[in-house]
Amino acid sequence: MSVFLPSTDEKDLSQYALSLQQLASGRSNATGSVTLAAGAASTVVSAINCGPGSAVFLFPRTANAAAALSGTFVGTVSKQSFTISHANNAQTDRTFFYVCLG
């Protein structure tokens, strides 16, 4: 789940308190899910909080994602995106959760 982000000119301190409570409860804007592209050897993921030097962690969501995990890795991390390298096959349900930190 996403965390509420108050604007930088927010005057109401309760909005900041809400954001901190959500962070302490485990919410984050650094997570998402991705399904690997079928018929391709890589998948580009838009992730607004990623940047060069970020660490991206993949967690299989489906059985086919778990089976593909050993040959799947994050190849590059760029500003607001990262690329996953993987086997080229026709499966359309290789879905992963991801966390991008840093």
Side-chain angles (χ1 to χ4, degrees):
M1 296 187 111
S2 295
V3 67
F4 168 75
L5 288 176
S7 69
T8 56
D9 61 349
E10 179 63 57
K11 303 291 188 237
D12 183 356
L13 293 180
S14 67
Q15 297 299 308
Y16 290 102
L18 173 63
S19 182
L20 290 172
Q21 288 172 337
Q22 289 179 347
L23 286 169
S25 296
R27 290 190 180 194
S28 173
N29 292 339
T31 64
S33 66
V34 57
T35 300
L36 301 183
S42 65
T43 301
V44 177
V45 181
S46 294
I48 195 163
N49 288 331
C50 279
S54 294
V56 179
F57 302 93
L58 300 174
F59 305 93
R61 182 176 180 195
T62 62
N64 280 334
L69 191 57
S70 66
T72 301
F73 61 95
V74 176
T76 59
V77 181
S78 304
K79 183 179 179 184
Q80 299 184 339
S81 70
F82 62 92
T83 302
I84 302 172
S85 296
H86 52 81
N88 179 349
N89 68 39
Q91 292 175 329
T92 59
D93 64 340
R94 296 176 295 166
T95 302
F96 290 84
F97 294 112
Y98 68 83
V99 177
C100 184
L101 302 175

